[in-house]
Amino acid sequence: QNTTHRITSIHTCYTSYTHTTKIMASQWRHIGLYGHSVGTFALSDDALQWKSGSTSKIAPAKAITRANFSVFGPTGHLVVQVSSEKDKGNKGDKYELHFDGFRPTDYDKIKDIFERMYNIELERKSFCSSGASFGVSDIQDGKLTFFESLIVPDEDDPDVPTETTGEQIMSFDLKEVSQCVLPGNNRNEIELQFHESDATMEAGTDQLVHIRFYVPPDADADMQDRDTLTPAEHLQKRIMESAQIKSTTGEIIAEFSEHQGTFLTPRGRYNIELYDSYLRLRGAKYDYRTK
């Protein structure tokens, strides 16, 4: 079941290529990959490949399920959806690779390659550029997406305004969310906090560490009623479930009790659980996971 939430304000702080004996169809240099620096992007009939120094990402042609191209300012951005299953008919785990640094005119060339070699139609995607800081939210396929909110005349009664969803403003992969809180116990705001990484980011690169949304309460709601969830609390609950912040996988390598000390940030007492790929802080109210 999909539900939407109205958001009224947003605040942020913040050629040819030879591989062994295989000849790549096309290559682009100085292409960025989300979470990494810039590198070389190449396409062949059997795989998509990005490489920067000792870091490389390869998506087999059979695993590519969707792709879209969009333009932000002077550069083009390519999003490729990859399935962990070799057979596209199987519903396996999916993830996305985000690339930027293309020229807007590269769209036709990339579109031709995807259709000819991968049998994938490259979608042309546009985003809201009106500068709106409010809209509606939706959670699907592990992504939190915000769309422009448009007020248009009703089809049956033109004198009656109705709300409809416009173009996409932005979206977040909820796997990147480390916590979703109600800041200062404000029941009408939520704050998304993101995993921070120094290992994969180029020196001097800015990272988005958190973003805050105001979700207006229902007009007839009693704010003194603590038993009824506000729209912001409903959205927080859905994000927590989709991001699986409270879920854990793997065995605990080491554990420290909350009685061994307190934290300045995040403030409070937390049990520390160290796993093979992440660290978890487990408190009475909030849990945090750090990769």
Side-chain angles (χ1 to χ4, degrees), residues 27-252:
Q27 171 181 297
W28 287 262
R29 298 185 184 277
H30 308 295
I31 299 300
L33 172 61
Y34 173 75
H36 301 270
S37 58
V38 296
T40 300
F41 176 86
L43 297 171
S44 71
D45 58 357
D46 61 354
L48 173 157
Q49 180 176 350
W50 178 90
K51 184 175 178 61
S52 176
S54 60
T55 303
S56 66
K57 296 288 183 180
I58 298 177
K62 292 182 179 181
I64 299 174
T65 57
R66 292 185 64 182
N68 68 71
F69 189 90
S70 56
V71 176
F72 300 146
T75 60
H77 298 246
L78 175 67
V79 178
V80 180
Q81 186 181 79
V82 183
S83 173
S84 60
E85 298 289 340
K86 292 184 179 180
D87 183 358
K88 294 181 185 179
N90 294 337
K91 295 183 178 180
D93 293 334
K94 296 180 180 180
Y95 61 94
E96 290 183 342
L97 297 173
H98 293 245
F99 303 95
D100 62 53
F102 297 97
R103 293 173 299 181
T105 53
D106 288 332
Y107 168 75
D108 291 331
K109 183 176 183 179
I110 298 174
K111 180 177 184 292
D112 176 68
I113 294 173
F114 269 78
E115 290 179 350
R116 177 165 42 88
M117 296 198 300
Y118 307 146
N119 196 28
I120 296 291
E121 181 181 357
L122 182 64
E123 304 171 18
R124 191 67 181 260
K125 193 171 186 179
S126 60
F127 287 81
C128 173
S129 58
S130 66
S133 61
F134 62 92
V136 294
S137 67
D138 187 29
I139 297 177
Q140 275 190 334
D141 299 327
K143 293 178 65 176
L144 173 63
T145 306
F146 293 92
F147 297 92
E148 182 183 17
S149 177
L150 300 176
I151 304 299
V152 298
D154 187 82
E155 293 183 358
D156 299 327
D157 188 353
D159 295 330
V160 177
T162 183
E163 184 179 44
T164 186
T165 298
E167 294 181 326
Q168 178 179 319
I169 298 175
M170 58 183 173
S171 66
F172 303 100
D173 186 343
L174 293 178
K175 292 180 181 178
E176 300 295 327
V177 174
S178 64
Q179 185 55 267
C180 179
V181 301
L182 302 174
N185 292 321
N186 186 333
R187 301 181 66 205
N188 298 322
E189 290 188 7
I190 64 168
E191 180 179 286
L192 297 183
Q193 301 172 1
F194 299 95
H195 296 293
E196 299 180 50
S197 174
D198 296 328
T200 59
M201 298 299 292
E202 187 177 10
T205 301
D206 293 329
Q207 294 186 63
L208 178 65
V209 295
H210 73 259
I211 184 169
R212 187 177 295 187
F213 302 98
Y214 173 73
V215 188
D218 294 332
D220 55 352
D222 181 7
M223 295 307 297
Q224 303 302 319
D225 182 7
R226 293 285 174 174
D227 296 329
T228 302
L229 296 180
T230 65
E233 289 170 328
H234 276 293
L235 181 57
Q236 181 208 23
K237 182 178 179 181
R238 291 195 64 209
I239 291 173
M240 294 285 287
E241 292 172 350
S242 297
Q244 299 181 341
I245 292 174
K246 291 185 177 295
S247 66
T248 59
T249 57
E251 295 183 358
I252 299 176

